[in-house]
Amino acid sequence: MKLRLTILTLLTYFVIASGAQVKVSGSVIDANTHNTVEFANIALLKNDSTFYAGASSDTLGLFAFNNIPKDNYILSATFVGYTKTYVPVQVNGTDINVGTVSLATSDVMLKDVTVTANAVIQKPDRKIIIPSDAQIKASNSGVTLLRNLQLSRIIINPISNAITLPGGDAVQLRINGVEVTIAEVVALQPEDIIRIEYHDDPGMRYGGAAAVIDYITRRKESGGNLSTNLTNTPHKIGFSEDYFSAKVNHKKSEFGVNAYWHYRDLKWTRENKEIFVFPDKVLERDEKGEPTKVKENSLNIAANYSLLETDNYMFNATFRNRYEDEPNAFSNRKSTTYSSDGSAPLSILDESSIRSNTPSLDLYFQKNLKNDQLLIFNIVGTYINSKSTRLYQERREENLTTDIFSDVRGDKYSLITEGIYERKIGEGKLSTGLKHTQSYTNNTYSGNVETDISLKFAETYGYAEYQFKKNKFSYTFGLGLMRTYNSQDEKSNKKYILRPNVRISYNINDNAYIRYNGLISGYSPSLSDLNNVEQEIDSLQIRRGNPNLKTVMYYVSTLNAGYNKGIFGIEFYMRHSYDHKPIMEQITFEGGKFVRSNINQKGFHRLYAETTVKLKPFKDYLTLSITPGVNRFISYGESFTHTYTSWRVRGSIVANYKQWSLTAEAYGRWNNFWAETQEIGERIHMIMAGYKADKWSLNLGILEPFSNNYSVGSRNRSTLVPTQSDVYTNKLNKIIMISFSLNLNFGRQYKAADKRLNNNDTDSGIMSGTKK
């Protein structure tokens, strides 16, 4: 009996040993810099080179294969811009650590490694997108590459290249963690982009941004780049979007300059219908507009120097100057108004101009410490010099009946300082930060109103956030405290806001995820709303500031889920927000005039949802995307309650073959509602085809090929002054657009750069008397 048990035990042992399954692990680094290589493609091949299993390295460069049976294998490691590396692996029944796998930089980009389909890696706080070879070859800038990727919720205006979310929220743009302008993104060479990190639900350190696009690129240590991207139209309209960039690298130093010129010279027609409800009568006005010149011109220039010692420190200094001149504002109009009281028609002239110059200096220092610790310090000083004028006249039978003129000169000085500390704790990461903003604004009003206004503003924000993972769940918990303060003359407003944040992510499998995020935060009144100035809008209306405005609390919950496998992908996103006592317009009747002023109203709900369905029937050579969405608004005021629902569908087709590309996009109107006003958004469709050579590219497109005009507008539901406004032009339909880019590179050696943040100030604090 004992002999039989012994034999049975030995047989069981040998059977288990012969079929034992073990763990194969290791890490991936850059052979030159010894930095970890994140999201490298790791494959375990059998001896005949047939595929057995695949994985990706994590943010620490680590990878692992579980339950690998006894056999001889070949491990391959690849990543865009590196030469493919092979390591033999012999599995004998015990766990194996292959150690460090070194990847050497490829001298010819994308020649040794070809990514046949872009990879999307879902992380707890962001998506990692690795562009495919076809998408890179079809792109001539960071913007066109983003357009080819067709990310959910990301909208790229084909006219201005503006990158926004549905509803118009701006997307925060970054390069290697640095907040940048659109000009710097256009200057990016697609071949230099390693991956794109899409924070569709950003954490606390991003300062309340609705979304963040972070381009992770290589940094040259020699050579440089010259590039230009010119978009113009041969039509008899003024239209230019032109970019220029130059960069030189020498060892640890990088010198760069970029410029962006935006120019428009068009004619718009504005028509209004207004009803004025007086205590004893109702007056209706029907305004018929004439084509009116709208002209704007802006030039943004940035000069940058950075000093980088990999794995040690980084210093960055950037000087920016933004010049904006709008001699003929979009609000301008020339029209004839017919009144219901039978009086003679009014001839209306409304002309505004805006000019500003904004120099700023950004100093940044980052220090890597031992034990995965990081320190960041950032100081940004900004000066905004602005001038705004407005002339409004009403004439009846050649007689001047109303004459309004205002000239506002503004000076604003601001200083933003920020410090961030991060470290890894076990399997988690702790991030803490403190940010302080201090500004002083002085505005001088002349014309019909003569006054000087001085405003002081301060905001301090500190936070701590911890992120960790357990099994398939990832958790992020954060707590912040914000103090806001503003003062004008003898009046001041101070408030403390507690800002908790929680995010829970569940990765169902490699192809599907679901995530929830909830937060409480707040925002201060704008400087332009806080002044105590009263300006005439027209003969019947007045715009009045309100220094008694209070800071607003808001509450946000988001839920998003996605599935992506093979040729099919689907993503769902839903967001509910509630503003408590939001700053909204209130219209009252005082002394024979209708007064428009902002006050803290009761509340505002917004529910937004959309679903993106994406098909790739021929890998990344053809991508089809369609996104239906809905907005639901509920606005509660002291004297009103409004509800509004808006539906929209947008879709796109992107086709790439070798150096050729074809893009077709269509966006339905995405209408917004706030207070008592419904904003009617733009409707855009465009077709563009292009060819890209090694150093240049040419794209030819047509804007609004199926429309007779381009229009936007608004509807106000006020009981005292309900209005309807429509603005349109027939000069922006069937527009031929020509885009040419030239990229000249020299030197092909790279290192990774990793600056994390930047701050800026753009609010001049001037109140305008025009209606919006």
Side-chain angles (χ1 to χ4, degrees):
M1 184 69 180
K2 290 184 179 180
L3 180 61
R4 290 180 179 178
L5 287 173
T6 302
I7 295 174
L8 182 60
T9 301
L10 290 173
L11 288 173
T12 302
Y13 171 79
F14 283 115
V15 169
I16 294 174
S18 62
Q21 295 184 331
V22 302
K23 177 180 180 180
V24 177
S25 61
S27 62
V28 187
I29 66 169
D30 184 301
N32 294 323
T33 67
H34 300 289
N35 290 337
T36 59
V37 178
E38 303 176 49
F39 316 114
N41 299 310
I42 314 298
L44 203 58
L45 312 175
K46 294 185 177 180
N47 270 341
D48 60 0
S49 296
T50 59
F51 179 84
Y52 181 79
S56 296
S57 59
D58 64 13
T59 55
L60 298 177
L62 303 175
F63 66 87
F65 296 95
N66 296 310
N67 302 322
I68 303 301
K70 180 180 178 180
D71 205 344
N72 292 327
Y73 299 92
I74 299 172
L75 186 144
S76 74
T78 65
F79 196 68
V80 178
Y82 292 93
T83 303
K84 184 181 289 187
T85 299
Y86 296 96
V87 177
V89 178
Q90 186 176 11
V91 177
N92 293 319
T94 58
D95 290 350
I96 296 176
N97 189 321
V98 300
T100 299
V101 180
S102 298
L103 295 183
T105 304
S106 173
D107 290 331
V108 183
M109 303 297 295
L110 295 174
K111 297 298 183 182
D112 297 319
V113 179
T114 298
V115 180
T116 58
N118 73 291
V120 179
I121 302 169
Q122 183 64 46
K123 307 299 287 185
D125 58 342
R126 65 197 188 280
K127 293 182 178 70
I128 308 298
I129 300 98
I130 302 173
S132 70
D133 182 55
Q135 290 168 331
I136 289 175
K137 286 182 177 179
S139 306
N140 60 17
S141 72
V143 173
T144 56
L145 178 60
L146 190 64
R147 181 178 285 118
N148 288 336
L149 290 174
Q150 294 180 305
L151 301 182
S152 62
R153 300 175 60 226
I154 296 297
I155 298 175
I156 303 174
N157 189 304
I159 301 175
S160 64
N161 279 330
I163 302 173
T164 62
L165 298 178
D169 290 334
V171 175
Q172 191 179 102
L173 302 174
R174 294 175 176 249
I175 298 176
N176 295 320
V178 183
E179 189 175 346
V180 296
T181 64
I182 186 65
E184 292 160 277
V185 172
V186 171
L188 283 177
Q189 306 307 301
E191 293 82 1
D192 296 343
I193 298 172
I194 300 173
R195 65 182 185 272
I196 292 177
E197 299 191 355
Y198 176 25
H199 301 254
D200 54 349
D201 200 359
M204 301 183 75
R205 59 165 298 182
Y206 294 101
V212 177
I213 296 290
D214 194 355
Y215 293 83
I216 307 303
T217 68
R218 297 173 183 82
R219 175 184 172 117
K220 296 180 181 180
E221 58 180 11
S222 63
N225 168 265
L226 292 172
S227 69
T228 186
N229 193 305
L230 311 175
T231 301
N232 293 274
T233 174
H235 284 60
K236 295 181 180 179
I237 61 172
F239 181 97
S240 293
E241 293 282 329
D242 298 334
Y243 300 84
F244 170 80
S245 173
K247 189 179 293 185
V248 176
N249 298 78
H250 179 68
K251 297 182 179 179
K252 298 179 182 180
S253 295
E254 179 177 276
F255 304 85
V257 62
N258 67 75
Y260 163 49
W261 181 48
H262 164 96
Y263 177 71
R264 295 288 188 274
D265 189 353
L266 307 168
K267 284 191 174 182
W268 296 87
T269 300
R270 182 181 296 270
E271 297 187 345
N272 299 316
K273 291 184 178 180
E274 299 174 303
I275 300 176
F276 296 91
V277 182
F278 290 85
D280 57 345
K281 65 178 181 179
V282 175
L283 177 64
E284 296 185 17
R285 283 186 166 187
D286 190 359
E287 184 177 345
K288 301 299 182 182
E290 301 175 18
T292 306
K293 178 184 281 292
V294 173
K295 188 174 182 179
E296 54 190 41
N297 188 14
S298 66
L299 178 63
N300 299 333
I301 298 176
N304 171 266
Y305 170 75
S306 67
L307 180 67
L308 170 69
E309 183 174 305
T310 305
D311 292 332
N312 189 1
Y313 66 85
M314 177 181 183
F315 170 75
N316 191 89
T318 303
F319 174 79
R320 293 185 175 93
N321 191 82
R322 183 174 66 252
Y323 174 78
E324 296 181 338
D325 184 20
E326 194 174 353
N328 306 102
F330 180 72
S331 61
N332 286 7
R333 71 192 202 266
K334 199 182 288 186
S335 59
T336 302
T337 298
Y338 302 89
S339 301
S340 62
D341 60 3
S343 57
L346 282 174
S347 295
I348 294 179
L349 176 67
D350 192 351
E351 294 182 339
S352 296
S353 67
I354 305 167
R355 187 176 70 241
S356 67
N357 193 64
T358 307
S360 65
L361 180 63
D362 178 350
L363 301 176
Y364 174 99
F365 181 73
Q366 172 183 313
K367 176 67 175 178
N368 297 319
L369 306 176
K370 295 180 180 180
N371 303 319
D372 293 317
Q373 298 179 90
L374 177 69
L375 276 176
I376 299 173
F377 298 100
N378 190 209
I379 301 176
V380 181
T382 304
Y383 168 63
I384 302 177
N385 175 258
S386 58
K387 177 183 178 181
S388 173
T389 65
R390 181 181 183 235
L391 173 65
Y392 177 86
Q393 294 179 335
E394 293 181 3
R395 296 179 183 271
R396 179 172 277 122
E397 296 178 339
E398 302 300 325
N399 296 318
L400 183 63
T401 58
T402 302
D403 190 14
I404 301 170
F405 177 74
S406 66
D407 186 316
V408 188
R409 313 257 174 153
D411 292 286
K412 180 182 179 183
Y413 305 85
S414 69
L415 183 67
I416 302 173
T417 59
E418 184 170 14
I420 290 177
Y421 170 74
E422 292 183 349
R423 72 168 300 169
K424 291 189 178 296
I425 301 177
E427 297 296 321
K429 182 177 73 172
L430 174 68
S431 176
T432 62
L434 182 65
K435 179 178 180 179
H436 179 74
T437 301
Q438 189 83 35
S439 69
Y440 170 77
T441 304
N442 183 74
N443 293 330
T444 301
Y445 292 76
S446 60
N448 292 61
V449 176
E450 301 276 349
T451 186
D452 285 343
I453 298 297
S454 296
L455 299 168
K456 295 181 180 179
F457 172 82
E459 181 177 281
T460 305
Y461 171 56
Y463 76 91
E465 188 176 60
Y466 183 65
Q467 175 184 317
F468 65 98
K469 183 176 182 181
K470 188 172 183 180
N471 299 323
K472 292 186 176 182
F473 283 92
S474 296
Y475 304 90
T476 301
F477 299 100
L479 184 62
L481 179 64
M482 182 170 73
R483 176 189 181 270
T484 65
Y485 172 84
N486 57 69
S487 67
Q488 179 182 178
D489 298 329
E490 306 257 331
K491 296 183 179 180
S492 63
N493 175 24
K494 181 171 62 176
K495 188 174 181 65
Y496 291 88
I497 300 174
L498 199 63
R499 296 176 55 176
N501 179 32
V502 60
R503 181 189 292 110
I504 301 174
S505 247
Y506 176 61
N507 287 334
I508 302 170
N509 52 43
D510 291 340
N511 306 310
Y513 75 95
I514 186 170
R515 183 174 68 226
Y516 167 81
N517 185 38
L519 64 90
I520 301 174
S521 189
Y523 56 89
S524 301
S526 70
L527 297 179
S528 59
D529 286 335
L530 284 168
N531 66 62
N532 54 13
V533 175
E534 189 174 280
Q535 291 180 291
E536 292 180 279
I537 297 174
D538 53 35
S539 58
L540 298 177
Q541 301 179 91
I542 293 173
R543 169 74 62 190
R544 179 186 294 166
N546 183 2
N548 298 314
L549 291 173
K550 305 298 182 183
T551 299
V552 180
M553 296 286 294
Y554 67 90
Y555 308 81
V556 179
S557 291
T558 61
L559 178 68
N560 53 327
Y563 174 83
N564 195 330
K565 186 176 183 180
I567 68 170
F568 177 76
I570 184 171
E571 290 199 52
F572 171 78
Y573 179 87
M574 182 171 67
R575 181 180 189 266
H576 173 263
S577 63
Y578 171 69
D579 293 49
H580 181 63
K581 295 190 178 299
I583 299 170
M584 294 177 169
E585 187 179 66
Q586 178 82 2
I587 303 177
T588 57
F589 184 76
E590 301 176 23
K593 295 287 183 77
F594 295 90
V595 179
R596 294 176 178 262
S597 181
N598 285 334
I599 68 169
N600 289 96
Q601 302 280 10
K602 290 183 178 179
F604 183 80
H605 289 273
R606 174 179 171 178
L607 178 64
Y608 159 61
E610 73 169 32
T611 300
T612 298
V613 179
K614 191 180 297 184
L615 293 175
K616 297 182 178 181
F618 303 105
K619 296 183 178 179
D620 286 309
Y621 294 107
L622 178 64
T623 305
L624 311 173
S625 175
I626 185 169
T627 304
V630 62
N631 258 329
R632 173 69 173 172
F633 305 93
I634 305 175
S635 183
Y636 298 107
E638 295 295 333
S639 59
F640 61 80
T641 298
H642 300 295
T643 61
Y644 177 69
T645 302
S646 173
W647 294 86
R648 184 206 200 192
V649 175
R650 70 178 188 271
S652 65
I653 300 173
V654 176
N656 303 309
Y657 181 70
K658 295 184 177 179
Q659 280 77 33
W660 295 93
S661 64
L662 175 67
T663 302
E665 298 177 290
Y667 302 117
R669 296 190 190 277
W670 191 259
N671 301 338
N672 277 318
F673 196 91
W674 181 255
E676 297 190 274
T677 301
Q678 170 196 340
E679 297 290 344
I680 302 174
E682 58 187 1
R683 180 176 54 218
I684 295 179
H685 47 278
M686 180 202 70
I687 301 174
M688 180 166 284
Y691 177 83
K692 182 188 177 188
D694 289 339
K695 297 181 179 180
W696 60 270
S697 70
L698 181 65
N699 289 272
L700 184 66
I702 181 168
L703 181 67
E704 304 290 325
F706 311 115
S707 294
N708 293 324
N709 61 49
Y710 174 95
S711 64
V712 294
S714 65
R715 306 288 186 267
N716 188 289
R717 300 185 185 181
S718 165
T719 56
L720 288 179
V721 190
T723 61
Q724 175 181 321
S725 178
D726 294 293
V727 187
Y728 59 89
T729 179
N730 58 5
K731 300 297 184 181
L732 278 180
N733 62 301
K734 302 176 179 62
I735 294 293
I736 301 297
M737 300 173 63
I738 300 175
S739 179
F740 174 77
S741 67
L742 179 66
N743 300 314
L744 302 176
N745 293 295
F746 48 97
R748 303 303 298 171
Q749 297 182 19
Y750 294 85
K751 284 188 177 180
D754 196 27
K755 182 183 170 184
R756 301 298 180 89
L757 56 89
N758 193 13
N759 297 290
N760 60 75
D761 184 12
T762 59
D763 181 8
S764 63
I766 290 179
M767 182 181 74
S768 171
T770 59
K771 292 181 289 184
K772 295 183 180 179

